[in-house]
Amino acid sequence: MTATTWPDARGRFGKFGGRYVPETLVGALERLDLAAHEALADERFGETLSLELESWVGRPTPLSRAQRLGDAWGLELWLKREDLAHTGAHKINNAVGQALLAQRMGAGRVVAETGAGQHGVAAAAACARLGLPCTVYMGAIDMKRQAPNVQRMRLFGTEVVPVEAGDATLRAAIDEAMRDWVADPEGTFYLLGSVVGPHPYPWLVRQFQRVIGIEARHQFLKRTGGLPDACIACVGGGSNAIGLFHPFLDDPVELIGIEAGGATGRSGIDGGAGHAATITHGSPGVLHGCYSMLLQDSDGQILETHSVSAGLDYPGVGPEHSFLNSSSIAYYYTVSDAEAIGALEECSRLEGILPALETAHALAGAKNYGRDHPGASLLLGCSGRGDKDLDILAGAGL
Ligand SMILES: *Cc1c(COP(=O)(O)O)cnc(C)c1O
């Protein structure tokens, strides 16, 4: 088996992945697995998806040379512009794919979870487009922090349900969405937002996000006649990163994931981790139905995480990244909140592109890479736009 063909039949990427769920969901996951494999092998489904991506999402997204920023950092820097996709981030690629799958499977309604609200907005938009009733679970704390996204979802006709339980953020929202799904696994489709959760989700979401890397590889070859020295992307659950990396797995291209180092040097609130650097600082365990790296204490209790970027603030990570890391196929590093904000400021000033705070982590990682590899050519996954972060940036004095 080569890295391109994982996962195996049991949904395993090496020892990572799998399916750790209540008995009631096993049948639903098997049904989803079968339907997804059939859909992705069906030419007509492929054509419908391609047409939606082109005519509604705005694909292909451009590849932009970042000349001035690259000069400042000693790099030949290229940005794959997912910030220009409909609703402002890569999340829409997966939301459209899964919504079409839900329709094909005859689901009567869709449930989804959201943290910062980006996946919730993408799911709500895709469901509106297809006339599918949609319910999004969102932590009560996140609903306050991300009020404009709540309003967007409601305008798309989606019901947004506050989750007060647990940490009242993304982790609790995923628990609630799964609980809803368990209640009616036949009539409800669970539209999961990243390459996490039980099999087949990490595989399915990756297949819908691979379009990023497929386009970027083609565009890069066309513009430069070669391939980049490295690809770099931020890693929360890991969907934009794996989408960019996967089509380069058989190439001599270095793959680099950047995690949220948070307020490095400061210990976390409530004895938490103070960061969200799951691969670089975590240990293996089970969260949300999947065996992967996660942030836990010595008793297996999940730690509170912290990142200035809500989209990276998750204690787990996709099993494929855990596998790529453990087999040294891809490499993972962290940058701090402050480094990310600094890189965001430079990118905005030098390129006229305001990136999302998540994306800013990849940019800060690129800056560090430039220090060690002067003159290297780097393809960066510009996962989303930063308009949603203006309040946080104002709070940081920008
Ligand atoms: C949600 C989000 C991320 C993190 O999610 P992944 O699954 O790791 O890609 C990164 N960037 C943006 C703009 C996001 O909205």
Side-chain angles (χ1 to χ4, degrees):
M1 221 170 187
T2 71
T4 355
T5 53
W6 295 96
D8 65 19
R10 295 175 310 134
R12 294 276 180 175
F13 301 87
K15 66 178 181 175
F16 298 106
R19 194 180 270 169
Y20 298 82
V21 294
E23 202 54 44
T24 37
L25 279 186
V26 172
L29 288 164
E30 277 168 3
R31 229 165 49 89
L32 174 63
D33 193 13
L34 192 67
H37 275 95
E38 277 172 12
L40 294 181
D42 178 354
E43 234 168 77
R44 288 213 2 241
F45 183 84
E47 279 165 18
T48 308
L49 176 60
S50 296
L51 186 61
E52 280 300 277
L53 290 176
E54 183 190 321
S55 64
W56 187 69
V57 172
R59 306 209 70 90
T61 58
L63 179 71
S64 302
R65 173 89 192 252
Q67 183 77 55
R68 278 160 47 78
L69 190 59
D71 286 351
W73 293 349
L75 290 166
E76 188 194 306
L77 183 62
W78 298 80
L79 309 179
K80 178 57 174 167
R81 301 290 306 282
E82 295 303 294
D83 57 310
L84 293 178
H86 183 42
T87 66
H90 67 287
K91 297 247 167 47
I92 196 73
N93 305 322
N94 167 55
V96 169
Q98 283 194 53
L100 284 171
L101 187 56
Q103 188 182 53
R104 180 182 163 105
M105 290 176 71
R109 65 189 279 269
V110 166
V111 294
E113 82 297 336
T114 199
Q118 292 301 105
H119 171 59
V121 168
C127 286
R129 172 94 171 152
L130 297 179
L132 284 165
C134 179
T135 302
V136 169
Y137 290 91
M138 187 170 188
I141 293 174
D142 287 336
M143 280 180 75
K144 279 204 199 81
R145 288 197 290 207
Q146 309 285 338
N149 276 340
V150 175
Q151 198 183 356
R152 268 179 210 119
M153 287 184 262
R154 288 187 169 145
L155 282 167
F156 290 140
T158 279
E159 180 195 13
V160 184
V161 180
V163 179
E164 309 277 355
D167 61 355
T169 64
L170 177 61
R171 183 154 57 90
I174 298 180
D175 288 338
E176 273 316 298
M178 283 202 166
R179 211 160 287 150
D180 181 320
W181 191 33
V182 171
D184 176 23
E186 298 270 319
T188 300
F189 185 99
Y190 180 21
L191 206 167
L192 189 55
S194 191
V195 284
V196 298
H199 181 66
Y201 284 106
W203 163 79
L204 179 61
V205 177
R206 180 195 80 199
Q207 291 307 98
F208 287 136
Q209 292 293 4
R210 281 182 85 241
V211 66
I212 302 170
I214 292 170
E215 285 176 10
R217 192 176 181 283
H218 180 75
Q219 290 166 322
F220 201 97
L221 274 169
K222 202 167 153 201
R223 289 285 295 277
T224 71
L227 291 173
D229 294 315
C231 291
I232 191 163
C234 64
V235 177
S239 68
N240 88 90
I242 204 71
L244 180 67
F245 294 174
H246 200 261
F248 289 92
L249 277 177
D250 290 333
D251 296 318
V253 173
E254 208 177 331
L255 304 173
I256 303 163
I258 304 294
E259 297 194 304
T264 304
R266 203 187 74 185
S267 68
I269 319 128
D270 301 332
H275 58 75
T278 314
I279 290 181
T280 41
H281 289 86
S283 53
V286 172
L287 177 66
H288 294 137
C290 165
Y291 183 74
S292 190
M293 297 297 279
L294 51 103
L295 293 171
Q296 56 189 339
D297 66 16
S298 51
D299 295 327
Q301 294 293 319
I302 304 299
L303 292 172
E304 296 279 326
T305 51
H306 163 81
S307 170
V308 69
S309 143
L312 302 183
D313 206 348
Y314 178 65
V317 68
E320 191 163 8
H321 286 291
S322 295
F323 166 68
L324 294 179
N325 173 64
S326 67
S327 24
S328 298
I329 297 171
Y331 297 89
Y332 298 82
Y333 304 95
T334 65
V335 303
S336 68
D337 288 350
E339 287 176 293
I341 290 173
L344 175 146
E345 195 184 3
E346 282 186 89
C347 179
S348 303
R349 187 161 38 80
L350 295 176
E351 294 298 332
I353 295 169
L354 171 58
L357 274 168
E358 292 82 5
T359 314
H361 285 72
L363 286 160
K367 183 175 182 172
N368 292 341
Y369 187 85
R371 255 184 232 123
D372 296 338
H373 305 81
S377 70
L378 199 54
L379 171 59
L380 184 145
C382 189
S383 57
R385 66 174 183 233
D387 308 59
K388 67 183 176 61
D389 297 319
L390 286 172
D391 279 353
I392 296 165
L393 294 172
L398 295 185

